[in-house]
Amino acid sequence: MADETEESLFEAPPMGEQERMVEAILFASAEPVGIPELNARMPHGADAVEAIGHLRKRYEGRGVQVVKVGDAWAIRTASDLGFLMQKETVETRKLSRAAIETLAIIAYHQPATRAEIEEIRGVSVSRGTIDQLLELEWIRLGRRRMTPGRPVTFVVTQSFLDHFGLESARDLPGLKELRSAGLLDSRPAPGAAEDERDENDEQSDMFEGAAEDDDGGDVFGEEASEPEDADAEDER
Amino acid sequence: MADETEESLFEAPPMGEQERMVEAILFASAEPVGIPELNARMPHGADAVEAIGHLRKRYEGRGVQVVKVGDAWAIRTASDLGFLMQKETVETRKLSRAAIETLAIIAYHQPATRAEIEEIRGVSVSRGTIDQLLELEWIRLGRRRMTPGRPVTFVVTQSFLDHFGLESARDLPGLKELRSAGLLDSRPAPGAAEDERDENDEQSDMFEGAAEDDDGGDVFGEEASEPEDADAEDER
Amino acid sequence: MTPSDETSGGATVVSVHERLASEALIVDVDGFEGPLDLLLTMSRTQKVDLRKISVLHLAEQYLAFINQARDLRIELAADYLVMAAWLAFLKSRLLLPPDPADEGPSGEELAAHLAFQLERLSAMREAAAKLMARDQKGRDFFARGIPEDVTRVRRVTYTATLLDLMQGYARIRTRDEFRPFTMDRRYVLTMEEALDRMRHLIGFAGEWADLTSFLPEGWETDPARRRSATAATFAASLELAKAGKVEIRQSDPFAPIQMRRRPQSDG
């Protein structure tokens, strides 16, 4: 695009300086900072992605770490040093078993509808459970499912990834094994109606793309099943 | 006191580890941390003073610094990078009607004196309006008019042309064009047709010269009315 | 579809251990999150891989549990009873030879699906446990304790479009055209002018004469001028009458107004 002309107009600072800048910005923020914001805050022509690569290496093995959280970056203390931080430890409200299971189902099956969560757990999901997870900002609304009734779906958030130290939803523990065991397919009940099966197909496809594609994707977009192809390829 | 016996009982972690610990604690603490607290939080036998010394050196020249705040220590953004912690939000506002009209008069009649602007607008022009346009760099001072009092004149700038997507001020449509474009829907006053034509001619003459001639022209030149002739020739 | 006979028959074969487990389940029935949860717990007593679970056995266990609960007059939620009915149906499907006329799914298919549901629920529970066992922010690792807020500097820029500019200019020029009409003297005879003129003329008006005859030369034809001149002249004549210089008369409404110099004798 216009990059080349711009590069000639604005001299980007040397990479060492860019690394310092990324370091300062990430240190200053309690929340993960996305690449677009980093680039916007750094001088013209700076390349936050490259600078982060250098910075991440620099902090390997140190008391704090440069970690990736979804599409964003943050500095977090090394988790082996958590014992030093009793003072900073925040008592989190104990989540109910229902909430924990619902969270896990959303994380592993996302995007997941309430009906799917209920089918997996075998009980209805109380309003409060979903509310609690929404309030924690660990889940949010995903795209509506393009099935009759256009039910809302839930997906996990960047805060969820941040809280559990995950780079992306793909890094969920045991995800691959669960998938290869077929436990993430939502298998239709025998004799179930045709449209239900269609929905299920779509859904299992959807999962793979979901983590990325739903980040910043438009929530009610029509092309619910479009981006999965690319992701399915990644997977192979 | 009992230090020596205890030292033999508890092996202090290696200095590299102590440095990591101090790093993590300073990073995560909500307030600067004093040496006694550091020592209390670190494993027995650790030496916070020495660890801080190392850490401080390690951060020399980095994007963040280990700094002493009173008796305590903290990690802070390097002072030269403070500008990164400012986020400029740009708020866009519509130019006021007075400013637009003043600007329009300058654009159509440049070089225009304040008295001329007031005469055309029929109301006095506030200092603030002119200042605002000057600050926006949409107008600048042109040559002084060689009339009694040598009043300053205003002309539009290159920024003005850029902002409005004009190649030159003479690309501005004349009154007749405005009218045929429906921008000016008043019927000409009876008997004014003649005058109007004159006015338009005069007007186009007026601003043709200005944009070019005033760019870089000497501000106090005597030949204030000379360039119009040349432009009029261009026109034919 | 009462499974009581078969259930009681099945119940005799379950071990003491299992019966104890079942009783413990009954006491704790409120602790289960629905029938699937209960079934999953029961399946654990089989001590086999969930994939190799005997669904028939599980169905019998569940139905026995429901019967016991009924005997103990424990209130069971409707979904437990629905599950019992379904499992009784499933059990009959599994035990009876398949009916070729029946179009529905076979007992094996239904059993396989139930086994899948149990395995999936179990898997999700393990996943949930693994998730919660991960290092967590605020417990095992920490964010910056003194975040430096980004100070927001607000800058205001002003914009205007070319259209604004042109409309602004058009507005000014239009205003010019509609400017309140400054009196065009060509069409106006002021009262002062009329008065001036009358003072001169009145000396020659010894007889009654129409007001119109006092209009200035050239003002009688053009309607605008005549209107203005008539009004001014009339006003001037009133002024002169007030001063006692002239007399005015009008025979009828809308009849011509006449005036003459006031006879000197009367003055």
Side-chain angles (χ1 to χ4, degrees):
Chain A
M1 298 203 294
D3 276 1
E4 284 188 27
T5 33
E6 283 181 340
E7 252 171 64
S8 60
L9 285 171
F10 299 92
E11 189 97 36
M15 189 43 69
E17 270 306 292
Q18 292 187 35
E19 202 191 312
R20 287 183 73 227
M21 291 175 184
V22 169
E23 187 176 35
I25 294 172
L26 292 188
F27 256 89
S29 175
E31 299 298 317
V33 186
I35 296 293
E37 189 183 338
L38 283 171
N39 278 331
R41 284 170 66 180
M42 282 158 67
H44 208 94
D47 180 355
V49 174
E50 193 186 338
I52 284 206
H54 293 296
L55 192 69
R56 195 177 202 185
K57 236 176 235 130
R58 185 181 292 273
Y59 277 92
E60 262 169 28
R62 299 274 297 276
V64 294
Q65 307 278 289
V66 178
V67 298
K68 189 175 187 200
V69 183
D71 294 333
W73 294 84
I75 294 180
R76 300 284 178 252
T77 62
S79 49
D80 66 313
L81 299 177
F83 71 96
L84 293 168
M85 247 62 77
Q86 289 100 334
K87 201 178 164 190
E88 278 71 38
T89 304
V90 277
E91 270 313 313
T92 41
R93 189 162 33 140
K94 266 257 182 252
L95 281 183
S96 68
R97 177 171 149 182
I100 291 171
E101 285 182 21
T102 301
L103 177 65
I105 291 167
I106 293 170
Y108 284 81
H109 290 260
Q110 69 171 348
T113 64
R114 177 187 285 257
E116 285 157 8
I117 297 164
E118 293 183 341
E119 203 213 307
I120 293 171
R121 294 199 65 230
V123 283
S124 62
V125 176
S126 77
R127 174 100 238 155
T129 303
I130 297 277
D131 286 353
Q132 193 182 12
L133 295 174
L134 285 169
E135 204 182 305
L136 280 166
E137 294 186 353
W138 283 354
I139 63 168
R140 62 174 178 83
L141 292 174
R143 292 178 182 160
R144 277 180 192 277
R145 184 66 50 80
M146 289 301 108
T147 50
R150 297 171 59 99
V152 298
T153 65
F154 300 100
V155 295
V156 291
T157 62
Q158 179 178 284
S159 296
F160 167 86
L161 299 177
D162 189 20
H163 185 89
F164 291 100
L166 292 162
E167 281 201 13
S168 81
R170 285 159 198 263
D171 299 323
L172 285 165
L175 182 69
K176 277 212 178 74
E177 294 81 347
L178 288 171
R179 187 180 290 141
S180 59
L183 289 168
L184 298 182
D185 318 340
S186 103
R187 228 175 265 174
E194 197 68 19
D195 54 322
E196 197 184 330
R197 212 179 52 237
D198 288 347
E199 180 198 328
N200 288 336
D201 285 353
E202 185 194 335
Q203 179 198 329
S204 57
D205 280 353
M206 274 178 103
F207 173 74
E208 290 161 31
E212 287 179 349
D213 145 44
D214 268 295
D215 271 327
D218 72 320
V219 175
F220 298 109
E222 295 290 323
E223 60 313 348
S225 58
E226 171 238 276
E228 275 72 55
D229 297 335
D231 278 80
E233 269 177 59
D234 274 354
E235 203 61 14
R236 279 156 214 152
Chain B
M1 299 208 294
D3 274 2
E4 282 186 29
T5 32
E6 282 182 339
E7 244 174 71
S8 59
L9 284 172
F10 301 91
E11 187 100 36
M15 188 43 69
E17 271 307 293
Q18 294 188 34
E19 201 190 312
R20 286 182 76 226
M21 292 174 181
V22 170
E23 187 176 37
I25 293 172
L26 292 187
F27 173 83
S29 291
E31 281 161 19
V33 189
I35 297 294
E37 188 184 339
L38 280 172
N39 277 328
R41 284 168 74 169
M42 281 157 64
H44 210 90
D47 179 354
V49 174
E50 192 185 341
I52 283 215
H54 289 296
L55 192 68
R56 198 176 195 186
K57 226 171 245 139
R58 189 185 287 273
Y59 277 96
E60 258 168 31
R62 305 293 316 155
V64 292
Q65 307 280 289
V66 177
V67 296
K68 196 168 186 191
V69 184
D71 293 335
W73 294 85
I75 297 179
R76 289 281 156 86
T77 306
S79 51
D80 65 316
L81 296 180
F83 71 94
L84 292 169
M85 303 304 142
Q86 292 188 347
K87 196 186 251 173
E88 203 174 68
T89 52
V90 178
E91 192 178 299
T92 311
R93 285 192 206 154
K94 271 258 177 228
L95 207 58
S96 71
R97 179 173 164 155
I100 285 179
E101 288 183 5
T102 303
L103 181 64
I105 291 165
I106 295 170
Y108 275 88
H109 294 265
Q110 66 175 350
T113 64
R114 175 190 287 256
E116 286 160 359
I117 296 165
E118 292 181 342
E119 199 199 311
I120 294 171
R121 277 199 73 213
V123 286
S124 67
V125 175
S126 79
R127 176 92 238 159
T129 303
I130 296 280
D131 285 351
Q132 186 184 24
L133 294 173
L134 285 169
E135 206 179 302
L136 281 167
E137 297 186 348
W138 282 350
I139 64 168
R140 62 178 179 79
L141 294 176
R143 291 173 183 163
R144 278 183 190 275
R145 186 64 51 81
M146 288 304 104
T147 50
R150 295 172 59 98
V152 296
T153 64
F154 300 100
V155 294
V156 294
T157 63
Q158 188 60 45
S159 300
F160 166 86
L161 298 176
D162 292 344
H163 183 93
F164 290 95
L166 295 165
E167 300 228 340
S168 81
R170 84 177 77 173
D171 292 334
L172 282 168
L175 274 192
K176 259 189 255 173
E177 289 165 289
L178 289 177
R179 185 170 284 129
S180 63
L183 289 166
L184 193 59
D185 59 2
S186 72
R187 278 156 291 122
E194 206 68 16
D195 298 344
E196 191 197 338
R197 211 181 51 237
D198 292 347
E199 182 202 330
N200 278 347
D201 287 352
E202 180 196 338
Q203 174 201 329
S204 58
D205 280 353
M206 270 181 98
F207 64 74
E208 277 165 26
E212 289 174 350
D213 138 48
D214 271 278
D215 274 333
D218 75 320
V219 176
F220 298 108
E222 295 290 324
E223 57 315 344
S225 58
E226 173 238 90
E228 271 76 55
D229 299 332
D231 279 276
E233 268 176 58
D234 272 356
E235 200 65 5
R236 280 153 215 151
Chain C
M1 193 144 308
T2 35
S4 55
D5 291 312
E6 278 162 9
T7 309
S8 53
T12 54
V13 293
V14 299
S15 68
V16 172
H17 171 79
E18 282 173 38
R19 208 166 50 239
L20 286 174
S22 292
E23 279 160 12
L25 294 180
I26 289 171
V27 174
D28 203 20
V29 71
D30 286 339
F32 289 99
E33 292 210 54
L36 205 57
D37 186 25
L38 176 57
L39 276 168
L40 185 59
T41 307
M42 285 176 165
S43 70
R44 307 260 186 237
T45 62
Q46 291 189 17
K47 293 204 168 68
V48 290
D49 188 328
L50 275 175
R51 271 165 289 192
K52 293 173 191 140
I53 197 170
S54 163
V55 171
L56 182 60
H57 186 184
L58 191 60
E60 284 169 345
Q61 245 183 302
Y62 185 89
L63 292 169
F65 163 79
I66 295 295
N67 280 335
Q68 277 177 280
R70 276 180 178 147
D71 291 346
L72 293 169
R73 296 175 183 276
I74 292 174
E75 282 293 323
L76 286 177
D79 50 349
Y80 285 86
L81 302 176
V82 170
M83 179 61 90
W86 188 81
L87 285 174
F89 163 74
L90 173 60
K91 195 179 135 191
S92 68
R93 279 262 162 148
L94 289 170
L95 291 174
L96 296 173
D99 178 356
D102 199 337
E103 289 201 348
S106 71
E108 279 72 23
E109 284 171 329
L110 293 173
H113 188 68
L114 179 61
F116 168 74
Q117 284 180 294
L118 291 173
E119 194 190 348
R120 183 175 60 183
L121 178 58
S122 168
M124 286 325 297
R125 290 201 170 151
E126 275 170 40
K130 278 188 203 157
L131 185 65
M132 298 314 282
R134 284 186 69 83
D135 289 336
Q136 292 183 37
K137 191 171 84 172
R139 190 185 77 184
D140 306 290
F141 62 89
F142 297 84
R144 183 72 196 270
I146 318 175
E148 284 168 64
D149 282 336
V150 174
T151 54
R152 297 190 182 262
V153 181
R154 209 179 57 167
R155 191 161 61 88
V156 179
T157 63
Y158 289 89
T159 62
T161 64
L162 186 57
L163 194 67
D164 293 333
L165 191 74
M166 294 188 304
Q167 280 172 335
Y169 188 68
R171 196 161 54 223
I172 303 161
R173 304 313 304 205
T174 311
R175 195 162 52 212
D176 270 359
E177 287 164 16
F178 282 134
R179 197 164 47 194
F181 213 66
T182 46
M183 290 300 161
D184 193 327
R185 295 302 159 103
R186 278 188 295 171
Y187 298 96
V188 176
L189 188 70
T190 65
M191 200 189 81
E192 282 69 30
E193 285 169 336
L195 203 55
D196 239 24
R197 184 181 159 76
M198 293 285 283
R199 279 199 186 101
H200 291 291
L201 289 179
I202 201 68
F204 305 101
E207 300 302 314
W208 292 104
D210 267 17
L211 184 73
T212 49
S213 64
F214 292 94
L215 297 191
E217 192 108 350
W219 288 71
E220 316 93 319
T221 46
D222 184 282
R225 300 186 103 193
R226 191 178 63 217
R227 211 159 37 236
S228 173
T230 306
T233 306
F234 177 60
S237 65
L238 289 178
E239 200 61 32
L240 290 172
K242 207 169 98 186
K245 298 267 169 53
V246 297
E247 289 174 331
I248 301 176
R249 75 175 188 193
Q250 185 179 29
S251 50
D252 293 300
F254 304 109
I257 295 168
Q258 296 181 313
M259 60 181 164
R260 65 170 183 189
R261 172 171 50 104
R262 190 174 180 155
Q264 295 291 342
S265 52
D266 290 4

